Amino acid sequence: MNTEHLLAPIHRFLLCRTPEMWIEEARKPQNLALLLTDHLVCELKAAQTAMWLIRKYVADKASGDALLAWLKPWENFVHSENADLAFLEQHRALSKTIISREEVPYGDELVDKMVLLIKEELHHFYQVLEIMQARRIPYQKITASRYARGLMREVTTHEPQTLVDKLICGAYIEARSCERFASLAPHLDDELAAFYVSLLRSEARHYQDYLALAALISPQDISARVRKIGETEARLISQPDRELRFHSGVPDF
């Protein structure tokens, strides 16, 4: 896959590249289990975020409850280390036809993009879990990184700016994921490198979808908010961090 055309807009969007010190730490064989575990959890969190946006802003209560119940087995697995993986086939059953949405101008657009994102992120969850199982890496709970929390502190508390800011945060998370996959892939074994490169196309589209939704919904130009949130994102990536995670900063431990 020619990745340059996918990565060029990502590099223009992000205000900094991944520090070399993070790559040096992340590529160490002894950190593979930790990074794969965090990657697995990040895929679920991405699906949860998209599901939350549908439930909060588009779906009626009955549909929202049904969506919440549909995602529950994945959440149970992550929180309880449950070995029963029968639920993994459920992601094939999700479609926007099950969603009864309110009459909001951006409803169709948000549902279309978020349902596709949910299906893709849960498919990636399954792929990461398969890799872990093949390498006999057991799933064990780990703490969350500071990254997403740090971004969310920038979110305004009044609508529609709250939604717009959350979408911009989503764009940065997806763009950083894409950039990190590309940065780490050359330092991994052939199987993992090919897998991470295969994720670039969907992650690049996800960040663009989030930005497009933010621009559609915002009553004013989003450039200033994109820049402000981007500055916070760059600080989180560039500053010392006491934990190694997929979106962590410069290792300091």
Side-chain angles (χ1 to χ4, degrees):
M1 181 193 297
N2 179 6
T3 62
E4 287 306 311
H5 72 288
L6 293 174
L7 291 172
I10 295 282
H11 290 153
R12 288 193 297 269
F13 178 62
L14 296 172
L15 300 187
C16 73
R17 300 284 186 96
T18 287
E20 284 298 321
M21 288 179 63
W22 183 90
I23 297 173
E24 288 303 312
E25 191 67 28
R27 66 184 289 189
K28 293 178 180 177
Q30 63 266 34
N31 288 324
L32 179 61
L34 174 64
L35 280 182
L36 284 174
T37 300
D38 194 47
H39 182 182
L40 181 80
V41 174
C42 285
E43 297 291 357
L44 177 59
K45 286 180 179 175
Q48 288 174 312
T49 296
M51 187 74 80
W52 182 87
L53 289 170
I54 293 172
R55 294 181 65 241
K56 168 74 173 177
Y57 293 101
V58 180
D60 62 17
K61 186 178 186 309
S63 300
D65 289 347
L67 288 167
L68 192 62
W70 181 86
L71 197 61
K72 198 68 177 172
W74 280 272
E75 295 172 339
N76 288 342
F77 173 82
V78 165
H79 292 306
S80 66
E81 303 179 13
N82 180 5
D84 182 4
L85 303 177
F87 67 87
L88 287 172
E89 288 300 311
Q90 290 185 31
H91 79 272
R92 305 179 194 281
L94 179 66
S95 74
K96 71 172 186 174
T97 58
I98 68 170
I99 298 165
S100 172
R101 48 196 181 286
E102 300 170 357
E103 291 301 319
V104 290
Y106 53 81
D108 286 347
E109 194 77 12
L110 189 144
V111 169
D112 287 346
K113 286 180 166 56
M114 292 301 102
V115 166
L116 178 59
L117 186 147
I118 291 165
K119 290 173 71 70
E120 289 179 336
E121 302 291 20
L122 293 180
H123 179 61
H124 298 162
F125 178 100
Y126 176 77
Q127 289 177 297
V128 177
L129 191 57
E130 273 195 324
I131 290 170
M132 291 174 64
Q133 290 176 325
R135 295 172 183 236
R136 292 180 169 81
I137 298 173
Y139 171 73
Q140 295 178 315
K141 289 186 290 184
I142 60 174
T143 57
S145 74
R146 66 181 187 180
Y147 179 78
R149 291 194 306 272
L151 280 181
M152 290 303 146
R153 291 193 187 102
E154 291 296 334
V155 174
T156 309
T157 57
H158 58 84
E159 298 289 3
Q161 195 60 49
T162 300
L163 172 55
V164 171
D165 284 357
K166 284 182 180 291
L167 292 168
I168 295 170
C169 288
Y172 274 107
I173 293 169
E174 297 290 337
R176 181 60 65 185
S177 297
C178 187
E179 189 259 358
R180 288 240 153 141
F181 292 144
S183 298
L184 195 53
H187 306 286
L188 301 173
D189 61 68
D190 290 347
E191 180 196 30
L192 274 177
F195 172 55
Y196 278 179
V197 169
S198 75
L199 298 179
L200 298 183
R201 191 180 305 280
S202 59
E203 299 300 316
R205 190 185 66 255
H206 292 168
Y207 112 82
Q208 292 169 337
D209 284 348
Y210 270 121
L211 270 189
L213 281 169
L216 174 68
I217 294 166
S218 178
Q220 64 254 353
D221 182 80
I222 65 172
S223 300
R225 293 303 298 158
V226 170
R227 181 75 188 184
K228 180 70 169 64
I229 294 171
E231 290 169 353
T232 296
E233 198 274 344
R235 282 197 300 274
L236 291 165
I237 291 300
S238 303
Q239 289 178 348
D241 202 326
R242 293 195 173 277
E243 290 185 308
L244 177 67
R245 296 291 187 270
F246 217 93
H247 294 88
S248 57
V250 176
D252 182 27
F253 37 77

